[in-house]
Amino acid sequence: MVEVTVTPQSSVADRPVQIRVRGLSPSQLVTLRAWLKDEQGECFQSRAFFRADGAGEVDPGLHAALGGSYSGVWPMGLLWFLQPDTLFRRLVKRDVAGSPFRVRLEVWDGLSLGTDPREQPLASCEAERWYMGPGVQRVPIREGRVRGALFLPP
């Protein structure tokens, strides 16, 4: 049975996570796809093609992506290379305290460039990426024409 995991499953956005796929056939060619919807409902996605190692595992921190949104060894590449489906959109998080971005990770058999709604991924999981850590206080700043926010650690 194929399994994809993100460790830790819930983390602050500036912290690294480890993505691993297990249960593949040795040397199996797969596509890892990451996607999320922003606060306006816009879809951002990335994908990378990998060949499983002899144990049937893929670890983007150890194995080089063969192509897709990036190539080479990038442990966080699936999250760093998210691109909008609509041109000229930017991934912006406005509600930093109230909710995380929920990133869906999927493993597809072979080289997958599109997502056919009739097909199912081999495995999938969800990761939460928070923009404010637990106990952090957000203080709005308004002084003259200056606008901003001060984030105070617990």
Side-chain angles (χ1 to χ4, degrees):
M1 184 172 105
V2 178
E3 175 187 36
V4 59
T5 57
V6 177
T7 308
Q9 185 270 332
S10 183
S11 63
V12 180
D14 65 347
R15 302 283 184 214
V17 296
Q18 183 179 39
I19 299 168
R20 295 192 89 177
V21 181
R22 293 183 177 94
L24 299 167
S25 300
S27 299
Q28 182 176 352
L29 198 58
V30 294
T31 300
L32 269 63
R33 175 180 177 240
W35 65 274
L36 63 84
K37 288 198 177 197
D38 71 2
E39 294 160 329
Q40 283 74 44
E42 184 67 37
C43 187
F44 289 77
Q45 62 180 316
S46 65
R47 67 186 73 239
F49 312 127
F50 291 92
R51 186 170 299 282
D53 64 13
E57 296 184 0
V58 169
D59 181 344
L62 299 174
H63 304 115
L66 306 173
S69 301
Y70 66 96
S71 60
V73 178
W74 291 81
M76 298 285 292
L78 288 166
L79 302 176
W80 288 343
F81 290 96
L82 289 166
Q83 293 294 314
D85 285 353
T86 305
L87 291 176
F88 308 114
R89 296 287 188 155
R90 290 183 49 208
L91 185 59
V92 176
K93 183 72 171 142
R94 301 236 184 259
D95 180 17
V96 295
S99 64
F101 273 139
R102 297 185 195 293
V103 182
R104 186 95 177 144
L105 291 153
E106 300 170 341
V107 181
W108 296 85
D109 190 26
L111 300 177
S112 174
L113 295 175
T115 53
D116 185 344
R118 296 170 295 187
E119 294 184 31
Q120 294 294 315
L122 297 174
S124 64
C125 71
E126 190 172 84
E128 293 181 345
R129 302 292 282 171
W130 289 89
Y131 280 75
M132 205 165 105
V136 172
Q137 181 183 1
R138 182 180 188 272
V139 180
I141 305 293
R142 296 182 77 103
E143 186 67 35
R145 295 186 311 168
V146 175
R147 302 288 182 267
L150 173 64
F151 293 88
L152 298 171

